[in-house]
Amino acid sequence: MSAPAQRKNTHPPQPRRGGGISRLIQGNSARGTDAPSQRAGAERLRFFLRVGAYFKGEWARLGALCVLVGVSIAISLLQVWPVAVIVDLISSGPREGDFVHHLLLAPLPDSLLGRVVGLAAMTLALRVAQEFVGMGRALLNFRIGYGGLTRVRCDVYRKLQALHIGYHRAQPQGDALYRLNQDAAGFHGILNVAVSVIGSALTLAVMICIMASRSPALTLLALAVVPPLLLTNARFGRALRRKCTEAKEVESQLTTSVQRSMASIGLVQAFGREADEEARFHTTLRNSVKAWLRLHHDELGHTLAVGSILGLGGALVLGYGGYLVVEARAGAGPSSMTLGALTAFLGYLGMLYDPLCKLTGAGAAVQGGVAGAQRVFEVLDRDQAVVDGHDAAVLPQAPRQLTLEGVGFEYRPGHPVLRGIDATIRPGEMVAFVGSAGAGKTTLLSLLPRFHNPTHGALRLDGIDTRAIRVSDLRKHIALVLQDSILLPATIAENIAYGRPSATDAEIRRAAAMAGAAGFIEALPDGYATQIVDGGLNLSAGQRQRVAIARALLTDAPILVIDEPTDGLDAEHERTIGDALRALKGQRTIVLMSHRLSNVIDCDQIFVMKRGRIVERGPHAELLRRGGVYTEMARWQLLHMPHASGGHGGAPRTARRAHLMSAMPRLRPSGAATR
């Protein structure tokens, strides 16, 4: 494709779906002064429900996970009491009338040593049970998380394949890879925080009830840290979200930089730009490191603030609890706090602060996952531009007449690229759209298989608007051979059969013969089993083009569309491609997009394009007689075509020039023989 055409294949950001919800929320905004907060709350709820929908296939595992969370909480509640009872036994003896003491000491011997050993064994058993339950929770969490992650990545991959060509030309490949691989993991991160919040809420509720039953005053003192924790997390949460998004954007740029550099390594080495590319990489890498360091700085600041608040709370509880124990021993007040009870309370305090910290810090902890999920939704919410209508027609593959009726196209409103294109192409015809770079040929090519829909007019197959045909059926009628022949890192046979994987070896060989590729393929040591490297760099440009034509022919598509079939090829390869196309004339409908007139001399119809319009049409000889745009193009190309010269390739150049001059005798420049 021409460079101007590529530059024009850009699009403004597409509107996102969900406008109905937004309008409903906006409509409610006039009904109360708290509408902005309601709208933000509704958007957050919708966002998290959408994230949760990717885990709806894991309900059974989620149920099992909740059961294990409950078991884990129960074990945690029991773990502190064997230690507390040992402390009381050693310091003041068993407490009569205490339910917990009675429950734990009942199965143990009466001797002090026997009770201590038994309580130690209970502590060990509870710890081992907790580890097994924790392992089960972790395994379930991983399975649930990766199940949802698989669904997310499949959706993103499917959407990337469905998005129009303009999106992929405007969007760096590295960014798409980063969103698919890294940002999608944000869904798993959100799940982890959600599971942690549920478990922490249950633990916190039970802990508060138990602690309040033991000492309401100490419980209130322990909960005094909640307000400063909430304020701290609100303060850091906004900054963490912003800096996490910035870090992910810069990391995406780093991935894009590496991908672009590796994809153009030949160009880099040819022009000796290794040092420049390395400097550019270092700059991007430094920006990435700085962004992550800024994020980690805030994360560590958040950890420091939370740790200080919890330390202060623990110190207050320990100080006041110690005062109550001293008071109880001195009998100076109503306190009945024992050393063992304080030990149990402090154990619960540690278990209280962990879920409390997770609950109040959930907003900050989830920001990384939210940033990644939002970047994923940006892709999923893109409009595809081309989708099947609900009543799209099924169209069996068969030779059909292609008609263009007043076709116009705009990438941006008010800036037409194509204007009023009218053409009729009958089955079996060989036609060409010719014009200089920027005339609109590549844009017109993209409309044929519905990479875009026309802004004005219609394209029809046998009178049926292509927008009313299923996209899959339409594309079965059209086989594309692009200017840059894309080959996959697979065997030649697999590349030819890419559009029709079920093809037999005989069918693959027949398609290669029709495309003029059988000769060079069979001359290779491994023939059709030859492995093509990434980008097809172990084949010449002409060989890649012929493999691409064979791939298109094997699909049995009745319409073959070829963009610049001989652009960048030497004379010998150009002649080979031309011979292959002439051999196909009448067997398929062939549509050529070209600026080189030597490719189109044998076409039944030639459509001359200029500034997005068809300015002339007709067979080659008729267009020459008119003396218009086509004649000027022919004269210019004839004057600038290389003459025979010594050395390699002279004879093919002479043959090519003679072919063009024989077809255009009236245009032969004076003095051509002496130039």
Side-chain angles (χ1 to χ4, degrees), residues 450-463:
R450 276 194 76 193
F451 290 155
H452 305 288
N453 283 324
T455 309
H456 308 287
L459 290 86
R460 301 182 185 276
L461 283 180
D462 280 355

Side-chain angles (χ1 to χ4, degrees), residues 5 13 74 103 133 194 257 290 294 380 388 391 475 547 558:
L103 179 66
V133 172
S257 174
K290 289 177 182 177
R294 287 193 295 268
L380 295 178
D388 285 333
D391 56 348
R475 292 177 182 171
V547 171

Side-chain angles (χ1 to χ4, degrees), residues 365-439:
V366 80
Q367 295 308 322
V370 168
Q374 285 178 332
R375 282 170 49 84
V376 168
F377 287 146
E378 286 175 6
V379 174
L380 295 178
D381 290 342
R382 284 272 183 171
D383 288 333
Q384 290 183 211
V386 175
V387 293
D388 285 333
H390 66 279
D391 56 348
V394 176
L395 195 68
Q397 191 181 66
R400 301 182 189 277
Q401 178 172 290
L402 174 62
T403 307
L404 288 72
E405 297 179 352
V407 172
F409 184 76
E410 301 173 354
Y411 288 112
R412 293 179 297 161
H415 296 79
V417 179
L418 297 176
R419 303 176 180 87
I421 302 295
D422 291 300
T424 299
I425 304 170
R426 289 176 287 274
E429 280 192 331
M430 182 175 177
V431 305
F433 291 86
V434 301
S436 59

Side-chain angles (χ1 to χ4, degrees), residues 281-313:
F281 172 75
H282 282 168
T283 299
T284 308
L285 184 60
R286 282 194 297 270
N287 292 337
S288 174
V289 171
K290 289 177 182 177
W292 284 108
L293 285 177
R294 287 193 295 268
L295 173 62
H296 294 326
H297 180 273
D298 276 17
E299 287 176 339
L300 292 174
H302 173 259
T303 302
L304 176 63
V306 169
S308 300
I309 293 170
L310 295 180
L312 177 61

Side-chain angles (χ1 to χ4, degrees), residues 545-561:
Q545 189 79 333
R546 278 176 277 171
V547 171
I549 293 174
R551 178 172 57 200
L553 292 174
L554 187 59
T555 64
D556 286 334
I559 301 173
L560 182 63
V561 182

Side-chain angles (χ1 to χ4, degrees), residues 138-158:
L139 291 174
L140 276 175
N141 195 28
F142 287 143
R143 183 62 185 87
I144 294 167
Y146 286 120
L149 182 59
T150 299
R151 297 183 188 94
V152 174
R153 284 177 171 164
C154 286
D155 273 6
V156 175
Y157 186 78
R158 190 180 303 114

Side-chain angles (χ1 to χ4, degrees), residues 453-535:
N453 283 324
T455 309
H456 308 287
L459 290 86
R460 301 182 185 276
L461 283 180
D462 280 355
I464 305 174
D465 193 324
T466 55
R467 287 168 291 197
I469 303 171
R470 290 195 316 181
V471 174
S472 59
D473 287 347
L474 171 65
R475 292 177 182 171
K476 287 178 182 177
H477 283 77
I478 299 173
L480 287 180
V481 180
L482 301 176
Q483 181 179 356
D484 297 324
S485 302
I486 301 173
L487 299 184
L488 303 174
T491 66
I492 291 179
E494 289 169 337
N495 270 275
I496 294 176
Y498 183 75
R500 189 179 155 204
S502 61
T504 64
D505 289 343
E507 291 171 328
I508 292 172
R509 292 174 183 274
R510 184 164 59 251
M514 293 173 65
F520 87 82
I521 294 175
E522 292 169 359
L524 295 171
D526 295 325
Y528 288 86
T530 300
Q531 188 74 25
I532 296 178
V533 302
D534 199 9

